[in-house]
Structures are given as structure tokens and as C-alpha cells.
Amino acid sequence: MWNEQNLINLLSERIKNNCSKYTGCIPNAVANREGRYECQTGGHWTDGFWPGMLLLANVCKKDDVYIQEFEKYIPFFEERVANDPEVNAINGYIGLDHDVGFIFHLTAVFHFRLTGSAVSEKISLQAADALAARFQERGAFIRAWNDWEHDTPEFRELKKGKAIIDSLMNLPLLYWASRHTGEVRYAQIASCHANTLMRNIVREDGSTYHTFQFDPATGEPKGGKTAQGYADDSCWSRGQAWALYGLALNYRHSSDEQMLATALRCAEYWQRSLLPNGDAPWDFAAPRTERLPIDTSAMAIAACGLLELASLLPERSDLLQLARATVRRLIDAHLAPASLEPNAFLLHGCVGPSYFKGSQEEATGEYGYGTDQPLIYGDYFFYEALLRLNNSSVVLPWF
Ligand code: GLY
Ligand code: GLY
């Protein structure tokens, strides 16, 4: 029977073994079903999770091997944050968008805080500037995505007015930049954007849209749209997990009580929407067929968010209980077994592409790529949840 401590030991060893397997590359976001990540080509929103995991392991195990391995990635992050179109084209990097927090906060900012590295400080401030520059005065939101090569003209126009729920997790980068530089504008942008999302992307019942559309000319709110969920008016479970964790983190930085209350409403919706066995379906409105994909990454993210909320609301012992039950379920039903010689920690993640809707996969129950597979962010948040459970004052990148 696994307990937190011996599982942390096992996974920290697995991280150490993975160092030689990845040899300086960034693992793909999605592993194969045996739990093996290949090295990715290009750069994505997930670039920060493996190097970030090395820093978490260093904090937990106090072993310099992890930080030395992390430091091999610093030239990559320097190149990535420069966001040079030519370099991006040569390497297949996706240009920087709202996701700079996932990429640079878990890595450069945390490394700077742990070591005082001047290079990581510079990368962190460049990343914060890139995020702040996306703020749209009309509508008061941070723009989600850039123009992509194959966009239709209509989609390109829509994107000018698009905000996304994932971005709540990127705002701690801006709060850090304000604290570090003394410039209030970063924190003002973060709290303005979080407020806009809280008012528009979270519904009355505590469920959430994945993205939200504003009229780019006037800033007027237009309505919610999905990108990775089942339908525009459904609730994509990883988006719900980003919301409950992201709003709790924003409360910690902004002390805005409404943010805490909204995070709690999102957590309560999450709790009452789980399957009877405690799993999260990839979308809470997806048809409950026998082969309904579940998303262990959403469960790991939600467990971290619930632990954050439980630390803010110690009288709500149900939050801690649910977080513990979620981690227990991940361990009992979804841990990648040693017999697979996996790099991954958790099986059964789901990327959640919107093409499921009405698709052959949905009709036949034969869901394809990106379902029932480990996800690097699921592993990151599972490891974080274990560290939090094991030591409630563990040093984390988020604050
Ligand atoms: N977070 C990845 C995206 O914006 O699609
Ligand atoms: N859009 C980022 C994610 O898949 O959560």
C-alpha cells in the first residue's frame, strides 16, 4: 500500500532516472500507453513541466542532481523567451501566448527564487512583459491565442476577442513581477483579467466555459465557446480544475474575497459532478458511455487546487478530504505500474480535443490519440499534490 512518503521517494527516483532518458530534451506532452514520453520537436505550452518537476524534486529531496539537470535547460528558455520569429520557424516553436506562466513561471521564476540566478531573473521579467503586453483595454482581458498560419479569416477575427480559462494559472507570473520590480501595473493587469474571467467565464452554478469571446471593437462580452470540451455550454473538466486552482491562487495574491468565494463554487461544482468512483470524465456533459474517457490530469490539478483552498479555509475539512480521496483514487486506479518501466507517473489522461463532438470516436466509443494516455502536466500536478500532502509548507513556485 503506497503512502505519500514512499510514493514521493519512488517518483523522485523515477525523475532522476528520466534525466538520462531525456538527455536535455523536453518530453512530449503525451506519452504512449506504456507510459513512455519521447522527446518533442518544437516548443509548446507544456515546455515548463519537466524542467519544473526537476525543481520540485530539488526542493523535496535537497539533491543537487536535479538542479544541475534543470540548469541544462536555461539556454533553451533564453531562446524561447526571446520569441524570435526566425528562431521559432527554424525550431517549430509556437510563438508565446497567454501560456508564458506555465512555461516560465514554473521554471525561470522558481529557479531565480531558489538560486538568485541573474539569467533566470532576466528570462522571468521578459516573460512577464510578454504576458502583460497581451492585455486588451477594451473588455479588460488578456488575449489567449496568436494568429496561426492556417486560420480562416473568421477565426483570426474571433481570436482578437478571446480569453481562456487556462490563463488563470499564468497570472502568478504577473504578481511575482510586481513584487519583484515594485511596478504595480503587472498585478493590476492580473487582477483585472481574473475579475473579467470570474464575472464571465464562471457560470451561476459554478461550472465554467473553456474560452470566452468579447467583441474586440467594443469589449462587449459575447458568450462562451469550447476548444477542448464537448460543447460550448458543457463543462470541460480540466478547465474546471484550472478555474478552481487558478482562482484560489489569484485570491492568495489579490486578497479579493469574491475570488475565494468563486473558487469555492467551482470546487463544489467539481465535487458534485465526479463519477461515483471519484474519477473525472474528460467533460462533465460527455455521454456516459462505457468507454467515456476520464482525465487524470484534471484530477491531479483539482487535487492541488483543493489543497490550496483547504489551506485558505481550514474550517472546510471536506475540501481536504476530497483532495485526499482524489489522490488516493489516482494512486489506486491510475498509477503507471513499475512493470511498464514507465517514465510517466499517471495513466489515463485526456487531451480533450473538441473534435470528439459528433466524431467517429464519439459515435463508436473508440476514442483515439490523446485519450487514455499519460500527460506531462498530469504528472507534474500529481507530484505537486503529493508534496503538498506530505508537507503543507513545502516551497512551491506559485507564490
Ligand atoms: N493552454 C494551451 C492553449 O491555450 O491552448
Ligand atoms: N489548453 C491547455 C490544456 O490542455 O489544459
Side-chain angles (χ1 to χ4, degrees):
M1 173 90 163
W2 291 109
N3 63 34
E4 285 136 27
Q5 187 58 61
N6 59 27
L7 194 50
I8 287 170
N9 290 342
L10 174 100
L11 298 183
S12 304
E13 261 324 285
R14 195 170 292 172
I15 292 173
K16 202 179 268 185
N17 291 335
N18 283 344
C19 291
S20 61
K21 293 179 186 162
Y22 301 150
T23 52
C25 79
I26 304 271
N28 264 330
V30 182
N32 68 13
R33 293 208 166 97
E34 277 66 56
R36 203 170 49 252
Y37 295 101
E38 305 300 338
C39 290
Q40 81 178 13
T41 50
H44 299 286
W45 74 274
T46 52
D47 292 342
F49 292 110
W50 160 247
M53 227 184 293
L54 291 166
L55 294 180
L56 287 183
N58 178 261
V59 165
C60 165
K61 303 305 286 183
K62 312 270 182 294
D63 181 340
D64 285 348
V65 163
Y66 297 106
I67 213 148
Q68 284 159 7
E69 190 65 22
F70 172 84
E71 288 175 354
K72 295 181 187 164
Y73 290 94
I74 291 179
F76 167 77
F77 286 112
E78 273 185 291
E79 183 175 89
R80 195 82 176 82
V81 81
N83 203 26
D84 177 327
E86 270 181 42
V87 175
N88 288 354
I90 291 167
N91 292 296
Y93 297 157
I94 289 178
L96 299 182
D97 62 14
H98 72 97
D99 275 328
V100 287
F102 286 121
I103 301 174
F104 300 104
H105 189 78
L106 305 184
T107 56
V109 176
F110 200 27
H111 182 244
F112 166 67
R113 283 177 41 209
L114 295 174
T115 66
S117 154
V119 186
S120 285
E121 179 190 23
K122 186 166 173 230
I123 297 170
S124 305
L125 289 170
Q126 282 175 278
D129 282 334
L131 186 55
R134 303 184 72 80
F135 186 67
Q136 311 294 307
E137 298 282 344
R138 289 196 204 96
F141 66 93
I142 291 172
R143 177 176 162 159
W145 298 326
N146 304 332
D147 293 345
W148 301 320
E149 203 183 330
H150 301 295
D151 285 341
T152 60
E154 296 76 30
F155 191 45
R156 197 160 279 200
E157 195 53 32
L158 270 184
K159 280 197 288 190
K160 291 184 187 155
K162 191 178 278 299
I164 188 167
I165 204 152
D166 323 19
S167 63
L168 288 167
M169 298 295 290
N170 292 316
L171 304 179
L173 171 66
L174 296 178
Y175 289 111
W176 168 83
S178 264
R179 279 201 313 280
H180 186 63
T181 62
E183 283 186 48
V184 292
R185 74 184 172 95
Y186 296 106
Q188 281 169 344
I189 288 173
S191 72
C192 223
H193 175 71
N195 259 293
T196 302
L197 285 197
M198 190 169 66
R199 279 184 279 106
N200 293 289
I201 216 163
V202 182
R203 306 182 187 108
E204 206 47 46
D205 64 357
S207 68
T208 51
Y209 296 109
H210 181 189
T211 77
F212 200 88
Q213 230 26 80
F214 297 88
D215 182 328
T218 63
E220 190 197 336
K222 302 300 268 185
K225 276 208 156 319
T226 199
Q228 283 158 277
Y230 176 68
D232 287 343
D233 60 356
S234 74
C235 182
W236 174 52
S237 63
R238 194 161 59 252
Q240 188 72 13
W242 292 140
L244 78 89
Y245 194 9
L247 287 168
L249 290 173
N250 276 278
Y251 167 72
R252 200 189 255 272
H253 288 288
S254 68
S255 305
D256 178 341
E257 291 294 332
Q258 226 188 325
M259 238 163 247
L260 180 60
T262 311
L264 197 54
R265 268 198 302 134
C266 292
E268 287 165 350
Y269 180 89
W270 169 273
Q271 178 163 27
R272 60 178 188 270
S273 308
L274 292 172
L275 300 176
N277 62 9
D279 283 342
W282 72 281
D283 188 299
F284 292 118
R288 300 282 167 105
T289 61
E290 207 177 300
R291 304 198 52 167
L292 170 68
I294 60 155
D295 183 14
T296 51
S297 77
M299 293 164 71
I301 296 158
C304 292
L306 290 164
L307 289 168
E308 178 65 16
L309 274 176
S311 73
L312 297 165
L313 296 163
E315 69 284 7
R316 289 289 303 260
S317 57
D318 58 320
L319 298 168
L320 183 58
Q321 275 166 20
L322 180 60
R324 283 192 179 284
T326 303
V327 170
R328 191 77 252 159
R329 175 74 188 160
L330 289 172
I331 295 171
D332 291 344
H334 305 300
L335 199 62
S339 57
L340 295 176
E341 294 190 28
N343 307 129
F345 302 168
L346 287 181
L347 304 174
H348 313 146
C350 178
V351 175
S354 49
Y355 60 67
F356 284 174
K357 181 157 169 49
S359 67
Q360 182 67 10
E361 281 97 339
E362 191 199 359
T364 59
E366 295 289 336
Y367 289 90
Y369 174 79
T371 60
D372 198 12
Q373 283 175 273
L375 301 172
I376 196 81
Y377 33 96
D379 290 352
Y380 180 92
F381 287 98
F382 180 55
Y383 191 56
E384 179 186 314
L386 290 168
L387 299 192
R388 278 177 174 269
L389 278 172
N390 193 47
N391 171 8
S392 57
S393 52
V394 63
V395 178
L396 293 172
W398 303 106
F399 3 90

